[in-house]
Amino acid sequence: MRSTCLGRTFFFFPIPLNLTTIVPVRKTLIKYNCCYSTMSDSDHSDPSKLTSQNVQNYPMPLSPPLPLISKDLELSRAMSASSKSSLYSTSRRDFIYEDEWLIAVNKPQGVYCESVFESVRKVLSESIDPGIEASPLELHLANRLDRDTSGLMLITKSHKVAAKLVKAFTTHTVTKTYIALCIGSVPKWEKITIRSGHGRSKFGAWRVYAASDVGRKLPGGSVVRDMETSFELLSVSGQGIFKEPSIFEQDESKVIIVEERALINTEGKRDEILVRASPKSGRSHQIRLHCQYLGISIRGDVKYEGLHEWRGRTYDGHELHAESLSFEHPITGHPLVFKAPLPSWATEAWHQ
């Protein structure tokens, strides 16, 4: 569509431009190794401005872009999860913990947090005596899990408790552990901590950035934020001993500070690797990104190079489980430790 005003001609497009339809941009994407995630929106609008000098104004991601196969698989998984979530229901028997201030519940894989939340709301509403005038429920989600991540979710029953728990999560006074089943070469470490940057450009995917890029601006106005995860190796191809979650004693000699792309051996023997992850920060897809960077992507995690087909079987979601939460009760101050039952894939990994 074209319009003329004050002697100038303007072009209007009814749909957003697709960068892959602009030949000069596509060439730049190839030349600069997926630098589309580091360019500004204004640079996108003018191909003549796509120079190496402009690209270097933004931090470069150190993890690869999403694999092409992930788009269709993720769409299929989202549709399946929508159907599964619409049918999901829970009961008080499924609660791991409940008192007058909060509830801990075990979220299944492939169900959205919002569906679990609404099901809990329904259970509580139905338990209210219709003959008694009760105050409206003030339920809040204290933490969120990805669609395919199973495990512990906290739901608070008042605005006051919600505010206190939000503060506890943001100030990192809540200790969290996750269990992940990964595929890759056997790590040379038993325990390790990885520190890096985390971010995404406007409309982009979450990526790992250098630790030294923390605070730098990305296209679209967001900034690179810090993220840190500690890992503990639990078993390799079923060989290992189950260990209960414990306080991770950090050894500075076993800390990876990310400043460059990882060199990963993709030709070596691959095994099933069970790890426990303890994220200090709470960034989106943090554990998944750090597993990818370490060369042990989570099985089924097609977004971050995880195999969805393994030894003759297809996996419909990534195998990551929110195992435990430890914190002080926001009202009583008493220490609380919640643990969610392990999913079948985790117990099977110990008993091959």
Side-chain angles (χ1 to χ4, degrees), residues 141-174:
L141 267 177
N143 67 321
R144 306 182 73 87
L145 299 176
D146 294 335
R147 177 194 67 214
D148 292 333
T149 301
S150 58
L152 280 167
M153 273 179 53
L154 287 181
I155 297 173
T156 61
K157 295 183 176 181
S158 74
H159 301 320
K160 178 181 178 181
V161 176
K164 289 191 173 186
L165 268 183
V166 166
K167 183 178 180 180
F169 275 103
T170 55
T171 57
H172 312 306
T173 57
V174 178

Side-chain angles (χ1 to χ4, degrees), residues 202-216:
K202 190 175 183 180
F203 308 124
W206 294 112
R207 309 279 284 279
V208 171
Y209 286 83
S212 58
D213 285 332
V214 171
R216 293 183 63 189

Side-chain angles (χ1 to χ4, degrees), residues 67-348:
L68 294 177
I69 193 176
S70 68
K71 182 177 180 180
D72 291 338
L73 284 175
E74 281 295 306
L75 177 59
S76 174
R77 289 176 178 182
M79 293 175 65
S80 175
S82 294
S83 176
K84 186 176 179 180
S85 297
S86 66
L87 300 173
Y88 176 79
S89 64
T90 189
S91 69
R92 270 198 160 88
R93 292 190 303 273
D94 300 320
F95 292 0
I96 293 173
Y97 176 87
E98 181 184 11
D99 64 20
E100 59 184 296
W101 298 287
L102 55 86
I103 298 169
V105 63
N106 186 21
K107 184 185 94 66
Q109 183 190 55
V111 173
Y112 290 105
C113 285
E114 292 78 8
S115 297
V116 177
F117 179 78
E118 289 304 323
S119 184
V120 170
R121 180 190 293 277
K122 183 178 180 182
V123 168
L124 297 181
S125 298
E126 291 175 347
S127 65
I128 298 174
D129 189 333
I132 299 176
E133 184 176 349
S135 301
L137 295 174
E138 299 178 348
L139 302 184
H140 298 268
L141 267 177
N143 67 321
R144 306 182 73 87
L145 299 176
D146 294 335
R147 177 194 67 214
D148 292 333
T149 301
S150 58
L152 280 167
M153 273 179 53
L154 287 181
I155 297 173
T156 61
K157 295 183 176 181
S158 74
H159 301 320
K160 178 181 178 181
V161 176
K164 289 191 173 186
L165 268 183
V166 166
K167 183 178 180 180
F169 275 103
T170 55
T171 57
H172 312 306
T173 57
V174 178
T175 300
K176 301 168 285 185
T177 67
Y178 291 72
I179 298 290
L181 183 56
C182 309
I183 305 294
S185 299
V186 180
K188 297 179 180 179
W189 43 264
E190 291 187 5
K191 289 185 178 182
I192 200 166
T193 296
I194 177 170
R195 297 172 185 162
S196 73
H198 169 273
R200 66 176 176 183
S201 304
K202 190 175 183 180
F203 308 124
W206 294 112
R207 309 279 284 279
V208 171
Y209 286 83
S212 58
D213 285 332
V214 171
R216 293 183 63 189
K217 185 174 289 189
L218 293 169
S222 63
V223 298
V224 177
R225 304 175 72 183
D226 65 303
M227 67 173 174
E228 177 178 325
T229 313
S230 295
F231 289 93
E232 178 183 12
L233 182 63
L234 297 178
S235 74
V236 175
S237 296
Q239 302 300 309
I241 301 174
F242 179 76
K243 306 172 185 176
E244 291 290 341
S246 60
I247 297 176
F248 193 95
E249 296 181 0
Q250 194 172 100
D251 182 350
E252 289 297 325
S253 66
K254 297 179 181 178
V255 174
I256 296 176
I257 299 178
V258 173
E259 291 297 340
E260 57 187 22
R261 295 179 187 272
L263 298 176
I264 298 170
N265 178 15
T266 58
E267 304 298 327
K269 181 177 180 293
R270 290 185 293 189
D271 291 283
E272 293 182 357
I273 300 163
L274 198 68
V275 298
R276 174 174 286 124
S278 180
K280 182 177 179 181
S281 44
R283 310 301 179 209
S284 296
H285 302 182
Q286 173 171 332
I287 296 171
R288 299 164 64 187
L289 282 163
H290 275 167
C291 282
Q292 178 192 33
Y293 187 86
L294 291 171
I296 52 170
S297 292
I298 298 173
R299 188 168 68 182
D301 193 0
V302 292
K303 270 192 174 183
Y304 301 113
E305 301 184 299
L307 297 176
H308 75 287
E309 293 180 348
W310 173 250
R311 295 179 177 173
R313 181 178 170 186
T314 300
Y315 295 87
D316 296 326
H318 61 252
E319 295 181 324
L320 178 64
H321 179 68
E323 176 192 28
S324 72
L325 287 169
S326 306
F327 57 96
E328 288 187 357
H329 194 289
I331 301 299
T332 67
H334 294 155
L336 295 175
V337 179
F338 300 140
K339 291 198 296 183
L342 292 177
S344 58
W345 55 259
T347 54
E348 289 169 3

